Amino acid sequence: MSQVSNPKKSNRPLYFTRSELGLILAAYSARVAAGEWRDYALDHLTGSAAFSIFRHTHETPVFVIEKQQRHHKERPQFILRDNKRVLCKASMVQDVINHFDKLPRLISG
């Protein structure tokens, strides 16, 4: 007799943990205070969660931090994307956040 997997369990949305979200929001708030970013959105899908960062509210996201996990027993992978390409992949959210320091910043004069 074979065991049938529960389809509801495998189709659960993925979420950021409290500590992951805290790290992301700390980096986000520093850039908001600097006037670089203005808005964000959270999306929770089957197998992935996304934190989208916007420079202006009615535009496409400037960056997206995505958490992907194909199977619940695997470690999640974090991906930083701009609107055209993947900028960084890491197994820890802090590594993705640290990548922001390597990117050019807006200078207001």
Side-chain angles (χ1 to χ4, degrees), residues 1 8 22 26 32 43 52 57 63 67 76 80 82 90 95 97 103:
M1 184 173 235
K8 264 190 166 187
V32 168
D43 295 305
S52 301
T57 305
F63 298 107
K67 177 181 180 180
L80 175 63
D82 64 5
D95 296 335
I97 292 168
L103 298 173

Side-chain angles (χ1 to χ4, degrees), residues 28-60:
Y28 170 79
S29 63
R31 298 287 178 120
V32 168
E36 293 180 49
W37 298 339
R38 187 159 298 177
D39 202 5
Y40 72 91
L42 282 169
D43 295 305
H44 305 284
L45 308 166
T46 302
S48 70
F51 186 94
S52 301
I53 299 166
F54 298 87
R55 186 167 287 138
H56 300 288
T57 305
H58 300 292
E59 293 183 354
T60 59

Side-chain angles (χ1 to χ4, degrees), residues 27 31 80 94 96-105:
R31 298 287 178 120
L80 175 63
Q94 185 63 51
V96 170
I97 292 168
N98 290 341
H99 192 77
F100 282 122
D101 296 333
K102 299 175 186 176
L103 298 173
R105 294 187 75 157

